């Protein structure tokens, strides 16, 4: 009867317990995309070897302790009809105490030697035959800079099999962490500091990476992919990515124009376009070759890309891609056609598709100096700022220029609003505030600074 009641009361516990170990172990023994226990590089294999050694030692200790515990519980249990008595008590045993001090110390030494070996092996500079790639964390995407090859890409890192890959990790804004569980990591990406790690991939394929340091709203969406190619495939990818983007169809050519008219050029670079040299967002050259968009969050399909260029904020919370000019579905199709155009083999394309208004405004004003309106267009100020006397300048990323001179402070309260500070700011925003998003590519010339400052002072009172 008692046994029956006990069994009934334990039923929910049993129901919970039976699948729990299976679920817990599934995470360890299943080859999932981001698994540290299925290493695919020398660096992660060395770590895994230490991990395996420690796990076996732990398992033996675990079994020993629990068998001993079970024996004590059974041997010294209360028996029916036997008077309650305390077993014989022992106080102080030199032999036992020496044994349980020395044995754990020996076990720790046994674990420490391969651990130190692994730490030094992975921390020391790699052997020869290396390729260095700078990875730069941005909220919320990764920039990959192949200095040796003169190539910059984003979110999909191609590497050749058979080379040791050195990753120089940096950050443009907050602390991120570079992690590709099967290949390498984690390594913090810290502003103003370069952290280095390396690995040698052992198998071609696609590996999944993830920012591993909380960095804001879309931290969990800050993913990336590492594609390990054969040397021949890698060389072909490099050659394709270095070529200028080439719009061939009529739809793609319209998209090429829209890429400027919608302000995309202010934040993105596309090789072969002198007008698209922005550095705030990912380099989009050869997007055709990428399997994903939005920092490896979404598959690169026509539908997804069209939706993304219309409503990025619906697909990735907190995304910093703000559209200064709305994109309609028809325009989205054209932009997608352009962005997905394969790169060509000809000479770099010329600046294409500036907004008609900008074209009309460009060119020196009377006296040889550029006009204020021309500066606003050629440096893409209109994308981020609302400027009362410039029709297409309705940006909301930066401050509204209306009433600029009536505000006592500028640059987020950093400087007093006056002519000298305006000159300093426009000549080199990063020199005043290193983390500012106001990246002027190319920088304003002294003559342009002069024109802009005079216009700001006289107009936005
Ligand atoms: Cu970047 Cu988390």
């Amino acid at each position: 009867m008692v046994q029956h009641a006990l069994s009934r009361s334990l039923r929910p516990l049993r129901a919970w317990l039976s699948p729990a170990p299976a679920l817990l172990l599934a995470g360890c023994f299943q080859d999932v995309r981001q698994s540290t226990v299925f290493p695919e590089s020398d660096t992660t294999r060395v770590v895994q070897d230490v991990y395996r050694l420690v796990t076996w030692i732990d398992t033996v200790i675990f079994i020993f302790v629990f068998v001993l515990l079970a024996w004590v519980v059974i041997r010294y249990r209360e028996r029916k009809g036997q008077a309650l008595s305390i077993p014989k008590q022992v106080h102080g045993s030199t032999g036992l105490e020496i044994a349980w001090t020395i044995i754990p110390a020996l076990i720790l030494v046994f674990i420490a030697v391969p651990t130190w070996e692994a730490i030094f092996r992975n921390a020391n500079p790699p052997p020869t035959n290396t390729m260095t790639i700078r990875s730069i964390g941005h909220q919320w995407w990764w920039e990959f800079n192949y200095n040796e090859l003169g190539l910059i890409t984003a979110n999909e890192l191609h590497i050749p099999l058979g080379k040791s890959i050195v990753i120089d990790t940096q950050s443009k804004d907050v602390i991120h962490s570079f992690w590709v569980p099967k290949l390498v990591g984690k390594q913090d990406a810290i502003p103003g500091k370069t952290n280095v790690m390396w690995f040698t991939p052992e198998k071609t394929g696609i590996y999944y990476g993830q920012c591993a340091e909380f960095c804001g709203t879309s931290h969990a969406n800050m993913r990336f992919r590492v594609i390990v190619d054969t040397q021949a495939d890698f060389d072909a990818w490099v050659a394709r990515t270095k070529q200028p983007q080439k719009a061939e169809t009529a739809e793609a050519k319209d998209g090429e124009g829209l890429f400027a008219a919608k302000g995309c050029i202010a934040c993105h670079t596309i090789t072969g376009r002198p007008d698209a040299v922005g550095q705030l967002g990912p380099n989009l050259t050869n997007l055709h070759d990428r399997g994903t968009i939005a920092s490896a969050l979404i598959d690169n399909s026509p539908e997804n890309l069209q939706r993304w260029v219309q409503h990025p904020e619906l697909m990735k919370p907190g995304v910093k891609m703000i559209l200064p000019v709305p994109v309609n579905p028809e325009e989205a199709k054209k932009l997608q056609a352009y962005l997905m155009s394969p790169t060509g083999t000809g000479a770099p394309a010329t600046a294409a598709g500036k907004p008609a208004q900008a074209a009309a405004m460009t060119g020196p004003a009377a006296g040889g100096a550029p006009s204020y309106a021309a500066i606003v267009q050629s440096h893409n100020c209109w994308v981020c700022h609302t400027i009362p006397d410039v029709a297409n300048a309705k940006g909301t990323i930066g401050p509204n220029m209306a009433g600029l001179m009536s505000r006592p402070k500028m640059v987020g309260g950093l400087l007093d609003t006056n002519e000298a500070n305006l000159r300093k700011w426009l000549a080199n925003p990063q020199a005043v505030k290193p983390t500012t998003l106001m990246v002027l590519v190319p920088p304003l010339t002294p003559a342009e600074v002069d024109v802009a400052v005079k216009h700001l002072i006289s107009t936005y009172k």
Side-chain angles (χ1 to χ4, degrees):
M1 181 70 192
V2 171
Q3 203 180 15
H4 205 73
L6 188 70
S7 157
R8 222 181 16 241
S9 68
L10 282 178
R11 209 172 289 153
L13 185 66
R14 271 214 312 258
W16 186 85
L17 278 175
S18 55
L23 280 175
L24 287 172
L25 291 175
C28 299
F29 295 112
Q30 216 175 46
D31 187 7
V32 289
R33 281 177 170 184
Q34 295 187 348
S35 168
T36 50
V37 292
F38 289 90
E40 299 281 6
S41 81
D42 52 352
T43 299
T44 43
R45 196 171 296 285
V46 163
V47 175
Q48 169 76 352
D49 287 345
V50 175
Y51 185 45
R52 190 175 290 138
L53 173 75
V54 173
T55 304
W56 279 120
I57 293 173
D58 287 354
T59 307
V60 171
I61 294 171
F62 176 86
I63 292 169
F64 173 72
V65 168
F66 273 80
V67 166
L68 204 62
L69 185 67
W71 179 77
V72 168
V73 166
I74 294 163
R75 170 75 179 76
Y76 297 102
R77 73 187 188 281
E78 189 186 340
R79 290 187 171 88
K80 240 183 211 162
Q82 217 178 42
L84 198 64
S85 68
I86 294 174
K88 188 185 154 210
Q89 301 293 294
V90 179
H91 292 282
S93 163
T94 314
L96 256 182
E97 282 174 20
I98 288 175
W100 70 43
T101 304
I102 287 182
I103 292 170
L106 287 177
I107 294 171
L108 289 180
V109 169
F110 190 68
I111 293 172
V113 172
T115 304
W116 276 68
E117 256 175 24
I119 289 171
F120 281 109
R121 187 259 173 214
N122 287 352
N124 281 334
T128 50
N129 195 23
T130 59
M131 171 185 268
T132 301
I133 299 165
R134 174 155 294 170
S135 90
I136 304 171
H138 296 254
Q139 281 174 318
W140 289 273
W141 59 280
W142 292 94
E143 176 181 332
F144 300 122
N145 191 330
Y146 301 69
N147 266 326
E148 300 164 13
L149 302 172
L151 185 71
I152 295 177
T153 189
N155 302 323
E156 295 208 350
L157 176 67
H158 282 257
I159 52 173
L161 189 67
K163 269 203 194 286
S164 292
I165 308 298
V166 181
I167 304 282
D168 273 7
T169 311
Q170 297 184 345
S171 169
K172 265 274 148 64
D173 36 49
V174 299
I175 301 178
H176 304 276
S177 180
F178 184 98
W179 189 32
V180 193
K182 289 187 178 185
L183 297 179
V184 73
K186 307 166 180 174
Q187 185 72 272
D188 272 5
I190 300 170
K193 190 176 187 304
T194 303
N195 284 328
V196 184
M197 59 184 168
W198 68 277
F199 65 99
T200 317
E202 295 176 336
K203 216 167 84 182
T204 57
I206 297 174
Y207 300 92
Y208 292 79
Q210 170 75 50
C211 176
E213 177 75 48
F214 181 71
C215 56
T217 318
S218 254
H219 154 69
N221 299 324
M222 189 169 162
R223 304 176 193 174
F224 59 105
R225 305 202 308 171
V226 178
I227 295 118
V228 180
D229 293 320
T230 60
Q231 187 67 48
D233 285 351
F234 177 76
D235 292 342
W237 173 80
V238 170
R240 285 199 300 278
T241 309
K242 279 181 140 181
Q243 288 296 330
Q245 189 103 354
K246 218 172 170 196
E248 268 166 356
T249 64
E251 201 174 35
K253 283 193 173 113
D254 286 351
E256 191 174 18
L258 287 168
F259 197 75
K262 298 294 176 183
C264 318
I265 52 170
C267 295
H268 297 283
T269 289
I270 290 192
T271 300
R273 280 187 74 150
D275 65 335
V277 286
Q279 294 172 358
L280 286 180
N283 185 314
L284 297 178
T285 313
N286 196 18
L287 194 70
H288 182 263
D289 263 354
R290 292 185 209 164
T292 55
I293 56 168
S295 135
L297 187 62
I298 308 156
D299 286 339
N300 186 4
S301 70
E303 301 72 35
N304 284 344
L305 187 51
Q306 284 171 34
R307 200 166 155 238
W308 174 257
V309 299
Q310 293 177 79
H311 296 293
E313 71 289 350
L314 297 182
M315 303 173 87
K316 189 172 176 184
V319 66
K320 300 210 163 174
M321 176 165 151
I322 297 170
L323 302 174
V325 188
V327 172
N328 67 36
E330 203 52 44
E331 291 166 336
K333 264 178 90 173
K334 291 172 177 170
L335 278 169
Q336 181 250 324
Y338 169 59
L339 290 170
M340 287 303 288
S341 299
T343 49
T345 47
T350 50
K354 278 269 182 184
Q357 187 187 14
M361 285 170 163
T362 313
S371 73
Y372 175 74
I375 295 167
V376 166
Q377 300 305 328
S378 60
H379 292 275
N380 298 310
C381 318
W382 66 276
V383 175
C384 295
H385 296 281
T386 295
I387 308 174
D389 52 342
V390 179
N392 69 336
K394 296 194 171 58
T396 53
I397 298 167
N400 189 325
M401 289 299 105
L404 170 74
M405 299 310 292
S406 69
R407 299 194 282 267
K409 293 278 183 180
M410 51 181 266
V411 194
L414 202 59
L415 298 176
D416 291 334
T417 310
N418 60 41
E419 183 177 340
N421 283 338
L422 276 172
R423 283 182 189 280
K424 209 157 84 179
W425 175 246
L426 289 180
N428 190 349
Q430 275 65 35
V432 176
K433 189 181 178 187
T435 55
T436 182
L437 289 178
M438 181 154 143
V439 180
L440 293 167
V441 188
L444 266 63
T445 63
E448 287 173 328
V449 171
D450 191 57
V451 169
V453 169
K454 281 180 179 150
H455 187 90
L456 292 169
I457 292 172
S458 64
T459 319
Y460 312 123
K461 290 174 177 156

